[in-house]
Short mmCIF file of all heavy atoms in Angstrom, two decimals:
data_model
loop_
_atom_site.label_atom_id
_atom_site.label_comp_id
_atom_site.label_asym_id
_atom_site.label_seq_id
_atom_site.Cartn_x
_atom_site.Cartn_y
_atom_site.Cartn_z
N GLU A 1 0.83 -1.21 0.00
CA GLU A 1 0.00 0.00 0.00
C GLU A 1 0.87 1.26 0.00
O GLU A 1 0.59 2.21 -0.73
CB GLU A 1 -0.94 0.01 1.22
CG GLU A 1 -2.05 -1.01 1.14
CD GLU A 1 -3.04 -0.72 0.05
OE1 GLU A 1 -3.35 0.46 -0.20
OE2 GLU A 1 -3.48 -1.69 -0.60
N SER A 2 1.92 1.27 0.81
CA SER A 2 2.78 2.47 0.84
C SER A 2 3.50 2.65 -0.49
O SER A 2 3.66 3.78 -0.96
CB SER A 2 3.78 2.38 2.00
OG SER A 2 4.75 1.38 1.77
N HIS A 3 3.93 1.56 -1.11
CA HIS A 3 4.58 1.67 -2.42
C HIS A 3 3.60 2.16 -3.48
O HIS A 3 3.97 2.94 -4.36
CB HIS A 3 5.20 0.35 -2.84
CG HIS A 3 6.49 0.06 -2.15
ND1 HIS A 3 6.73 -1.12 -1.50
CD2 HIS A 3 7.61 0.79 -2.01
CE1 HIS A 3 7.94 -1.10 -0.98
NE2 HIS A 3 8.50 0.06 -1.28
N ASN A 4 2.36 1.70 -3.41
CA ASN A 4 1.35 2.18 -4.38
C ASN A 4 1.10 3.67 -4.23
O ASN A 4 0.97 4.39 -5.22
CB ASN A 4 0.05 1.40 -4.21
CG ASN A 4 0.11 0.03 -4.85
OD1 ASN A 4 0.93 -0.22 -5.71
ND2 ASN A 4 -0.76 -0.86 -4.40
N ARG A 5 1.02 4.15 -2.96
CA ARG A 5 0.83 5.59 -2.75
C ARG A 5 2.03 6.37 -3.30
O ARG A 5 1.86 7.41 -3.94
CB ARG A 5 0.65 5.88 -1.26
CG ARG A 5 -0.72 5.51 -0.74
CD ARG A 5 -0.95 6.03 0.67
NE ARG A 5 0.00 5.53 1.64
CZ ARG A 5 -0.13 4.40 2.33
NH1 ARG A 5 -1.20 3.65 2.15
NH2 ARG A 5 0.79 4.03 3.21
N LEU A 6 3.23 5.86 -3.06
CA LEU A 6 4.43 6.52 -3.57
C LEU A 6 4.43 6.58 -5.09
O LEU A 6 4.73 7.62 -5.68
CB LEU A 6 5.68 5.80 -3.07
CG LEU A 6 7.02 6.31 -3.58
CD1 LEU A 6 7.32 7.68 -2.99
CD2 LEU A 6 8.13 5.34 -3.21
N LEU A 7 4.06 5.48 -5.72
CA LEU A 7 4.02 5.44 -7.19
C LEU A 7 2.94 6.38 -7.74
O LEU A 7 3.16 7.03 -8.78
CB LEU A 7 3.77 4.01 -7.68
CG LEU A 7 4.95 3.07 -7.52
CD1 LEU A 7 4.53 1.64 -7.86
CD2 LEU A 7 6.13 3.50 -8.38
N ASP A 8 1.81 6.48 -7.06
CA ASP A 8 0.77 7.41 -7.49
C ASP A 8 1.26 8.85 -7.42
O ASP A 8 1.04 9.65 -8.34
CB ASP A 8 -0.49 7.26 -6.64
CG ASP A 8 -1.26 5.99 -6.95
OD1 ASP A 8 -1.03 5.42 -8.05
OD2 ASP A 8 -2.08 5.58 -6.10
N ARG A 9 1.93 9.20 -6.31
CA ARG A 9 2.47 10.57 -6.19
C ARG A 9 3.52 10.84 -7.27
O ARG A 9 3.55 11.92 -7.86
CB ARG A 9 3.09 10.77 -4.80
CG ARG A 9 2.07 10.97 -3.71
CD ARG A 9 2.71 11.50 -2.44
NE ARG A 9 3.81 10.68 -1.96
CZ ARG A 9 3.72 9.75 -1.02
NH1 ARG A 9 2.56 9.52 -0.45
NH2 ARG A 9 4.79 9.06 -0.65
N MET A 10 4.36 9.85 -7.53
CA MET A 10 5.39 10.04 -8.58
C MET A 10 4.74 10.22 -9.94
O MET A 10 5.19 11.05 -10.74
CB MET A 10 6.34 8.84 -8.61
CG MET A 10 7.33 8.82 -7.47
SD MET A 10 8.40 7.37 -7.46
CE MET A 10 9.17 7.48 -9.04
N GLY A 11 3.68 9.46 -10.22
CA GLY A 11 2.98 9.61 -11.49
C GLY A 11 2.36 10.99 -11.63
O GLY A 11 2.44 11.61 -12.71
N ASN A 12 1.78 11.48 -10.55
CA ASN A 12 1.18 12.82 -10.59
C ASN A 12 2.26 13.89 -10.79
O ASN A 12 2.07 14.85 -11.55
CB ASN A 12 0.40 13.11 -9.31
CG ASN A 12 -0.84 12.24 -9.20
OD1 ASN A 12 -1.34 11.74 -10.20
ND2 ASN A 12 -1.31 12.06 -7.98
N ASP A 13 3.39 13.73 -10.11
CA ASP A 13 4.49 14.69 -10.27
C ASP A 13 5.03 14.66 -11.70
O ASP A 13 5.37 15.71 -12.27
CB ASP A 13 5.63 14.38 -9.29
CG ASP A 13 5.25 14.68 -7.85
OD1 ASP A 13 4.24 15.39 -7.64
OD2 ASP A 13 5.97 14.20 -6.95
N MET A 14 5.13 13.47 -12.28
CA MET A 14 5.62 13.37 -13.67
C MET A 14 4.64 14.03 -14.63
O MET A 14 5.07 14.69 -15.58
CB MET A 14 5.82 11.90 -14.06
CG MET A 14 6.96 11.22 -13.32
SD MET A 14 8.54 11.97 -13.68
CE MET A 14 8.85 11.30 -15.28
N ASP A 15 3.35 13.88 -14.39
CA ASP A 15 2.35 14.53 -15.25
C ASP A 15 2.46 16.05 -15.17
O ASP A 15 2.41 16.74 -16.20
CB ASP A 15 0.93 14.09 -14.85
CG ASP A 15 0.64 12.66 -15.25
OD1 ASP A 15 1.36 12.13 -16.13
OD2 ASP A 15 -0.30 12.07 -14.68
N SER A 16 2.63 16.58 -13.96
CA SER A 16 2.75 18.03 -13.83
C SER A 16 4.05 18.52 -14.45
O SER A 16 4.09 19.58 -15.09
CB SER A 16 2.66 18.45 -12.36
OG SER A 16 3.75 17.97 -11.63
N SER A 17 5.13 17.76 -14.31
CA SER A 17 6.40 18.15 -14.94
C SER A 17 6.29 18.13 -16.46
O SER A 17 6.84 18.99 -17.14
CB SER A 17 7.52 17.19 -14.51
OG SER A 17 7.72 17.25 -13.12
N ARG A 18 5.57 17.15 -16.96
CA ARG A 18 5.39 17.07 -18.41
C ARG A 18 4.63 18.29 -18.92
O ARG A 18 4.96 18.85 -19.96
CB ARG A 18 4.63 15.78 -18.76
CG ARG A 18 4.51 15.54 -20.25
CD ARG A 18 3.84 14.20 -20.56
NE ARG A 18 4.63 13.09 -20.06
CZ ARG A 18 4.16 12.15 -19.22
NH1 ARG A 18 2.91 12.20 -18.80
NH2 ARG A 18 4.92 11.16 -18.83
N GLY A 19 3.63 18.74 -18.15
CA GLY A 19 2.87 19.92 -18.55
C GLY A 19 3.74 21.17 -18.56
O GLY A 19 3.66 21.98 -19.49
N VAL A 20 4.57 21.34 -17.53
CA VAL A 20 5.45 22.51 -17.47
C VAL A 20 6.46 22.47 -18.60
O VAL A 20 6.73 23.48 -19.27
CB VAL A 20 6.17 22.56 -16.09
CG1 VAL A 20 7.28 23.59 -16.09
CG2 VAL A 20 5.18 22.84 -14.98
N LEU A 21 7.04 21.30 -18.85
CA LEU A 21 8.05 21.17 -19.90
C LEU A 21 7.44 21.43 -21.29
O LEU A 21 8.07 22.09 -22.12
CB LEU A 21 8.67 19.77 -19.86
CG LEU A 21 9.84 19.52 -20.78
CD1 LEU A 21 10.99 20.48 -20.45
CD2 LEU A 21 10.31 18.10 -20.65
N SER A 22 6.25 20.95 -21.52
CA SER A 22 5.65 21.19 -22.85
C SER A 22 5.34 22.67 -23.03
O SER A 22 5.49 23.21 -24.13
CB SER A 22 4.38 20.35 -23.03
OG SER A 22 3.38 20.77 -22.13
N GLY A 23 4.95 23.36 -21.95
CA GLY A 23 4.72 24.80 -22.04
C GLY A 23 6.01 25.55 -22.35
O GLY A 23 6.02 26.49 -23.16
N THR A 24 7.11 25.13 -21.75
CA THR A 24 8.40 25.77 -22.01
C THR A 24 8.84 25.53 -23.45
O THR A 24 9.35 26.45 -24.11
CB THR A 24 9.46 25.22 -21.03
OG1 THR A 24 8.99 25.41 -19.69
CG2 THR A 24 10.79 25.89 -21.21
N VAL A 25 8.65 24.33 -23.93
CA VAL A 25 9.03 24.02 -25.31
C VAL A 25 8.19 24.85 -26.28
O VAL A 25 8.71 25.35 -27.29
CB VAL A 25 8.87 22.50 -25.58
CG1 VAL A 25 8.97 22.18 -27.06
CG2 VAL A 25 9.90 21.71 -24.80
#
């Protein structure tokens, strides 16, 4: 359960980073 929560947070962080990076590009 703790690993699943960690992976969910990492996925959300990657999605937000992808949005920022695409805006910069």
